[in-house]
Amino acid sequence: MNFSDLILEWYDKNKRDLPWRKSKDPYKIWISEIILQQTKISQGTKYYLNFLKKFPNLKSLANSSENEVLLSWQGLGYYSRARNLHKSAKKIYFELENTFPKKYESLLKLKGIGDYTASAISSICFNEKNAVLDGNVYRILARYFLIDKPINASPSKKYFRKIAQDLIPNKRCGDYNQAIMDYSSMICKPVDPKCNICIFSKNCKANLFSMTMDYPKKLSKNKNRFIYYDYVIFEQGGKNLIQKINSGLWLNMYQFPVFQSYSCISLIDLKGMIYKKFKVSSYNIELINENFINHKLTHLQIQSRFWKISDTPKIKGGLYVDNFEKYPMSRLMHKFFEKYDYKLSLISL
Ligand code: SF4
């Protein structure tokens, strides 16, 4: 049996029972693929089920507001995924007359759909022969064929893509794509691959040369940069000021006003920045978290402090609220709420 027959045979016996596998509806597959980018299956499954409950079809997603979509996405991170999902749902529903694109090339034209997602949707839903390439696929191919090209260097992609495309069978393309990702994540794991029970152990070069942990190769990247966020919580009559974010990662979500810097600033500097931005100079200020609240993004670590400010005139340019639930906020904001029970302290005011 060849590579694809073996892996499909394994898949038929061992595939995971996941809710999106019960359907070939491109809307559901699309939602699952977008949620599962950068998200573990256990967490993603909960979000997938809740998301479909709230937006069971394209029509409901296209007719919703961005705020509602972001609220459902809250806690998952990488919020551009949710914004793009919403934009593309509108495009398919209103401009493409509710007809989901079937072809890889047409899928690529939608916002938020790249090579991986277009391959996944076109193969799973429409049996188009497009091999997916994710971290799992890179790993098993690099080990099986002992490929020295670093998987995180863009020129390598073409090389791996050709190999992946040569392996995909003509039939059951979608099953094969899911099979190779499942197999690699369950058997050809990043650490401690289960070579002793692997169906490829006799042909896998990395196993034959006892070099499994040397593959895949990666270029080393710069260490994480640190950035410092000072959130200021203006308080008035038991309500706090929040502002809508108008650019960047958390676009259209909400947060307390924030000052960003590349080093940890002193209180005097912070007061200077507060004056410059809000024209207030006389108030009480108190640091709520003695230790930084850390938040890791792909190549960036945010170290944040939260300052409570009272006795100021009302600040313009935001909303004073006593309940944050209707406002989508970043995981970093929620870390603060959870750690300092902040919502509860507001309610008790
Ligand atoms: S033999 Fe080991 S390294 Fe090779 S494909 Fe199987 S699990 Fe992966």
Side-chain angles (χ1 to χ4, degrees), residues 248-314:
L249 202 63
W250 295 322
L251 177 72
N252 292 343
M253 300 179 80
Y254 290 81
Q255 64 184 4
F256 301 128
V258 65
F259 296 95
Q260 300 174 8
S261 38
Y262 288 108
S263 58
C264 183
I265 56 170
S266 67
L267 180 55
I268 295 178
D269 286 343
L270 178 63
K271 282 183 161 180
M273 291 160 108
I274 292 171
Y275 178 74
K276 210 167 160 195
K277 184 155 187 193
F278 299 108
K279 302 286 175 274
V280 287
S281 54
S282 167
Y283 46 79
N284 289 324
I285 182 163
E286 124 193 41
L287 178 63
I288 301 176
N289 56 318
E290 278 179 14
N291 299 317
F292 286 121
I293 293 179
N294 296 316
H295 189 67
K296 197 169 178 303
L297 301 172
T298 320
H299 295 302
L300 199 64
Q301 288 241 30
I302 301 175
Q303 305 227 286
S304 55
R305 295 182 295 187
F306 290 76
W307 303 83
K308 188 167 164 181
I309 297 185
S310 46
D311 299 335
T312 59
K314 203 161 188 177

Side-chain angles (χ1 to χ4, degrees), residues 127-230:
N127 201 41
E128 222 186 49
K129 196 173 166 184
N130 296 308
V132 291
L133 262 185
D134 75 342
N136 291 310
V137 180
Y138 274 116
R139 185 172 60 254
I140 192 167
L141 296 183
R143 286 173 172 169
Y144 186 88
F145 293 104
L146 213 67
I147 300 169
D148 280 319
K149 294 185 186 302
I151 60 169
N152 55 345
S154 1
S156 310
K157 189 168 180 182
K158 209 170 154 193
Y159 186 85
F160 277 92
R161 161 158 284 292
K162 163 99 179 59
I163 295 180
Q165 199 59 28
D166 287 346
L167 290 172
I168 191 169
N170 292 326
K171 288 183 184 160
R172 299 187 67 194
C173 303
D175 282 350
Y176 170 82
N177 273 336
Q178 294 181 90
I180 190 168
M181 289 188 286
D182 260 22
Y183 188 84
S184 187
S185 73
M186 291 160 72
I187 308 289
C188 193
K189 299 187 298 174
V191 178
D192 278 340
K194 298 179 179 175
C195 304
N196 55 333
I197 57 159
C198 176
I199 52 179
F200 301 119
S201 59
K202 291 199 177 94
N203 295 315
C204 167
K205 290 190 178 163
N207 182 44
L208 295 175
F209 295 123
S210 301
M211 295 174 82
T212 52
M213 291 314 291
D214 297 324
Y215 288 83
K217 300 285 187 200
K218 279 187 187 172
L219 291 179
S220 60
K221 293 249 162 134
N222 290 340
K223 285 199 171 145
N224 280 323
R225 282 189 301 133
F226 282 96
I227 191 162
Y228 295 81
Y229 280 20
D230 282 287

Side-chain angles (χ1 to χ4, degrees), residues 15-63:
K15 73 174 169 189
R16 286 179 281 192
D17 183 22
L18 300 168
W20 46 90
R21 292 207 169 142
K22 296 181 173 54
S23 169
K24 290 207 188 282
D25 174 351
Y27 174 72
K28 292 182 180 168
I29 299 299
W30 177 43
I31 302 296
S32 72
E33 291 297 342
I34 300 294
I35 287 179
L36 291 173
Q37 289 167 12
Q38 324 275 358
T39 305
K40 286 189 180 145
I41 286 187
S42 54
Q43 189 197 13
T45 305
K46 277 185 255 159
Y47 274 87
Y48 171 81
L49 294 172
N50 288 337
F51 198 89
L52 280 192
K53 213 170 177 182
K54 182 129 182 86
F55 310 107
N57 47 40
L58 250 169
K59 185 179 176 186
S60 54
L61 184 57
N63 284 300

Side-chain angles (χ1 to χ4, degrees), residues 91-140:
K91 179 161 180 173
I92 302 170
Y93 188 73
F94 295 113
E95 291 177 31
L96 307 180
E97 296 171 345
N98 200 13
T99 306
F100 212 100
K102 291 188 172 64
K103 299 269 175 213
Y104 170 85
E105 285 78 15
S106 351
L107 286 160
L108 277 182
K109 289 183 187 148
L110 295 171
K111 257 190 166 317
I113 295 197
D115 175 52
Y116 167 82
T117 314
S119 299
I121 298 173
S122 61
S123 64
I124 295 170
C125 308
F126 308 111
N127 201 41
E128 222 186 49
K129 196 173 166 184
N130 296 308
V132 291
L133 262 185
D134 75 342
N136 291 310
V137 180
Y138 274 116
R139 185 172 60 254
I140 192 167

